[in-house]
Amino acid sequence: MHRQTLERDGKQFGRFILVGLLNTAFGYGAYALFLYVGMHFAWASLLATVLGILFIFFTTGRIVFRNSDYRRIGRFFLVYGVVYLFNVMGLAIFDHLRIDLYLAGLLLIPPAAVLGYLLNRRFVFGGVE
């Protein structure tokens, strides 16, 4: 792999992490709020995901991949559907193990972020820089 490609990929992933912090604060905040008001973890995760998708599409598309082509939003929804299923399965496992669901939500953020980056890069934004 060329040095320029590695540098570009590193910068892109770095932007993804920074933008992800903002997106995560919104998403986790919504999830925690929904749990706090008594919502089941699956519904809390779904609602937080749905509310955040449009915001995340624009921040990730524009800042990370330098592309916010509206025609890609369908694939973006599918990617976050996969990320949602990953999260719910993880939450169900943690719930079965009697691990606090607030902590479980935090523990799932890093692997979900990597999954989201890889899927977006491959299937939504096609490596666009």
Side-chain angles (χ1 to χ4, degrees), residues 69-80:
D69 182 352
Y70 297 101
R71 294 173 295 181
R72 297 171 186 266
I73 201 159
R75 287 182 276 173
F76 191 79
F77 270 89
L78 290 174
V79 161
Y80 276 91

Side-chain angles (χ1 to χ4, degrees), residues 21-83:
L21 292 173
L22 175 64
N23 296 340
T24 298
F26 175 82
Y28 183 77
Y31 166 74
L33 175 68
F34 297 141
L35 276 183
Y36 179 77
V37 298
M39 222 178 256
H40 184 273
F41 68 80
W43 287 109
S45 183
L46 177 64
L47 191 52
T49 299
V50 170
L51 290 176
I53 277 183
L54 291 176
F55 178 74
I56 294 167
F57 176 76
F58 290 111
T59 57
T60 300
R62 284 187 186 148
I63 298 169
V64 177
F65 296 105
R66 311 275 195 222
N67 185 316
S68 56
D69 182 352
Y70 297 101
R71 294 173 295 181
R72 297 171 186 266
I73 201 159
R75 287 182 276 173
F76 191 79
F77 270 89
L78 290 174
V79 161
Y80 276 91
V82 171
V83 173

Side-chain angles (χ1 to χ4, degrees), residues 24 28 31 91 101-111:
T24 298
Y28 183 77
Y31 166 74
L91 290 168
L101 290 172
Y102 294 98
L103 176 61
L106 287 172
L107 292 173
L108 288 167
I109 289 170

